[in-house]
DNA sequence: ATCCGAACTTGACCTGAATCAATTAAAATG
DNA sequence: CATTTTAATTGATTCAGGTCAAGTTCGGAT
């Protein structure tokens, strides 16, 4: 658990294959380097064309049978578990190049909802086909294990956050994590638009929406950030990092 | 997320191969049915003989290079991340038949410590070998994906617990989860020995040890359980379940 | 543009769990 | 067996964040 990245960045390795890929961001971000031409072609035959998902729509819902993983090609998703009494636990936010649906392999049913927070597009990856191909392509097999492992590590980071951190630390960790993930994708790391509500942030961080709002205001008063509705500008990143250092070295 | 199992039980499927396995509990609990004689033999050549780990010893520590997964053959482990200022976040407790170390695949380094909470024994599973074998044995390949997926689902359950539940609900969920996992292994579900300290329980549940202690006492006063140091007897399971129902249906 | 509902902010107050502190009980150790 | 150390309980107090409530702003629809 590094200082800069309490919530580990995920699925951002193995970029640089843009040139060989027209129909899907999958290879840019999610698939291992080291596939040859033929293997790439095989992969192409498996991957369904991009599927649009409108803002507010579900890519899948808990309880639905599992067929495919999805790679976010464009846009922004939240994944969440809803308890029967209506409370929501957001388990993650997912942006371009990240993989959704790995929790479903376990039972062959999806265990959470994936909702688009803006108009998005995904690549569907039929898991059975991917698995079959992985048998012949060790690099692919290994990379799938890696991506799943990374998800586990990320989840452990969230547990640390939920179990040990105070509200300010959680928010700082959250903002820095988003910042870093935008940066990796070539967007500004110091200025970005939150796609989710305060309530969704709160759900993810184990806080109430009022606390999220108050803490953002506090950060603004202290000159750490500027908040304009959902537009966030990180003014003093070092101070945000210092907030974290005190708690996780 | 079912009522009975807010923290999903893990790695307990695929039992019943006991007869064909002498050196390792791995196959009983972790490996898929449907391997033929030859495949089983191949697996045997990969799996190192049981390795004992004394109470208090580390099976591995964060930062160590990753070579193998470990199946708990006997005993009890905690897995935890330690922050630099010394605070510990327990990410899980692991008992017979469960797999440890999957978080390390991601970076080829272990990201957490695995400490034996009682004298234990593990089977070492060199990951490179397992992966190679998995290529020829689709059932094994699939099962590994499944086990990792199950870990992700479990982690989401813990997030729900840490993000949404009150102290009493967390403790109830914890006790019911342990109870269920002991039951699956043929031990009493109503009476069991806690292998971990109040502090370790607290770390896992995002509570302080005093709160754990107080809440256990409260449960005892209400007649839900009997506590004798680390020996727990579940007297009124339904009431414990009711505590959870109110929060997650 | 104007309206309306959803999202956000801010304040006042309350409460559940943390903290601090003092015993007590139970394991380890010689 | 006695001694030391570690773990657990319980009480008193504090405080971070939740809850309740009132107002404001924003964004989408007409």
């Amino acid at each position: 658990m590094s200082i800069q990245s309490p919530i580990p960045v995920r699925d951002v390795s193995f970029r640089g294959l843009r040139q060989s890929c027209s129909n899907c961001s999958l290879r840019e971000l999610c698939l291992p380097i080291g596939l040859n031409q033929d293997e790439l072609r095989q992969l192409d035959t498996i991957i369904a064309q991009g599927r649009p998902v409108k803002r507010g729509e579900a890519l899948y819902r808990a309880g639905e049978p599992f067929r495919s993983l999805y790679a976010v090609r464009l846009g922004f998703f939240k994944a969440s578990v809803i308890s029967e009494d209506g409370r929501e636990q957001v388990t993650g936010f997912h942006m371009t190049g990240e993989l959704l649906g790995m929790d479903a392999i376990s039972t062959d049913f999806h265990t959470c909802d994936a909702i688009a927070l803006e108009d998005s597009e995904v690549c569907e990856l039929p898991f059975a086909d991917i698995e079959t191909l992985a048998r012949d392509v060790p690099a692919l097999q290994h990379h799938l294990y890696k991506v799943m492992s990374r998800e586990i590590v990320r989840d452990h980071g969230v547990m640390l956050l939920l179990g040990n951190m105070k509200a300010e630390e959680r928010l700082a960790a959250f903002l820095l994590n988003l910042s870093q993930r935008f940066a990796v994708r070539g967007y500004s790391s110091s200025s970005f638009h939150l796609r989710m509500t305060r309530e969704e942030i709160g759900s993810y961080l184990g806080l109430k929406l009022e606390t999220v709002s108050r803490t953002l205001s506090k950060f603004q008063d202290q000159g750490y950030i500027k908040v304009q509705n959902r537009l966030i500008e990180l003014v003093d990143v070092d101070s945000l990092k210092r907030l974290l250092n005190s708690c996780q070295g």
Side-chain angles (χ1 to χ4, degrees), chain A:
Chain A
M1 214 58 49
S2 79
I3 300 171
Q4 290 74 10
S5 175
I7 306 176
V9 169
R10 55 202 297 265
D11 300 345
V12 293
S13 50
F14 304 119
R15 283 171 300 142
L17 280 172
R18 191 183 306 263
Q19 67 289 349
S20 66
C21 177
S22 60
N23 75 332
C24 185
S25 69
L26 177 69
R27 279 185 234 130
E28 297 178 47
L29 292 169
C30 290
L31 286 192
I33 47 184
L35 300 198
N36 63 34
Q37 284 301 92
D38 185 52
E39 289 164 347
L40 281 174
R41 221 171 304 121
Q42 285 186 263
L43 200 57
D44 260 339
T45 66
I46 287 177
I47 298 168
Q49 285 295 332
R51 162 181 156 191
V53 186
K54 282 244 155 47
R55 188 175 118 87
E57 270 182 25
L59 174 57
Y60 53 77
R61 290 199 177 272
E64 288 177 11
F66 169 63
R67 297 196 70 259
S68 304
L69 298 177
Y70 297 92
V72 180
R73 192 175 164 181
L74 203 88
F76 206 93
F77 286 82
K78 73 168 175 184
S80 60
V81 182
I82 312 266
S83 63
E84 281 185 22
D85 64 346
R87 272 185 294 180
E88 175 181 49
Q89 174 67 38
V90 171
T91 55
F93 295 108
H94 302 274
M95 51 176 81
T96 305
E98 295 178 343
L99 224 50
L100 283 164
M102 291 178 287
D103 53 279
I105 298 169
S106 150
T107 57
D108 281 325
F109 289 93
H110 288 284
T111 64
C112 54
D113 297 0
I115 312 285
L117 296 183
E118 62 183 25
D119 290 352
S120 302
E121 205 171 311
V122 298
C123 290
E124 184 171 350
L125 314 170
F127 187 64
D129 298 339
I130 292 280
E131 237 185 335
T132 305
L133 179 57
R135 254 181 270 155
D136 301 325
V137 185
L140 176 59
Q141 186 197 39
H142 184 69
H143 190 66
L144 274 171
Y145 288 128
K146 265 194 141 152
V147 169
M148 293 188 74
S149 173
R150 211 176 300 155
E151 175 74 22
I152 292 169
V153 172
R154 187 189 70 88
D155 291 348
H156 289 176
V158 176
M159 285 186 214
L160 181 63
L161 177 142
L162 291 172
N164 276 303
M165 294 190 187
K166 297 203 184 308
E168 288 190 21
E169 297 167 335
R170 295 183 196 190
L171 244 310
F174 176 71
L175 293 175
L176 289 171
N177 175 258
L178 277 186
S179 163
Q180 191 184 150
R181 288 157 75 195
F182 283 125
V184 161
R185 285 161 179 76
Y187 300 109
S188 169
S189 68
S190 62
S191 182
F192 48 84
H193 182 80
L194 298 175
R195 271 73 171 182
M196 69 297 279
T197 66
R198 305 288 192 260
E199 189 170 25
E200 285 161 342
I201 297 172
S203 169
Y204 183 57
L205 298 179
L207 302 170
K208 292 295 158 184
L209 69 97
E210 293 96 329
T211 305
V212 173
S213 180
R214 266 186 252 275
T215 307
L216 288 176
S217 298
K218 193 173 181 183
F219 283 173
Q220 181 166 240
D221 293 347
Q222 291 173 321
Y224 297 171
I225 66 176
K226 277 185 189 157
V227 187
Q228 260 180 320
N229 198 28
R230 295 198 182 174
L231 187 72
I232 299 285
E233 194 183 331
L234 303 189
V235 177
D236 184 355
V237 172
D238 290 343
S239 288
L240 289 175
K241 285 183 181 169
R242 220 171 301 126
L243 266 180
L244 285 184
N245 292 355
S246 66
C247 92
Q248 42 175 336

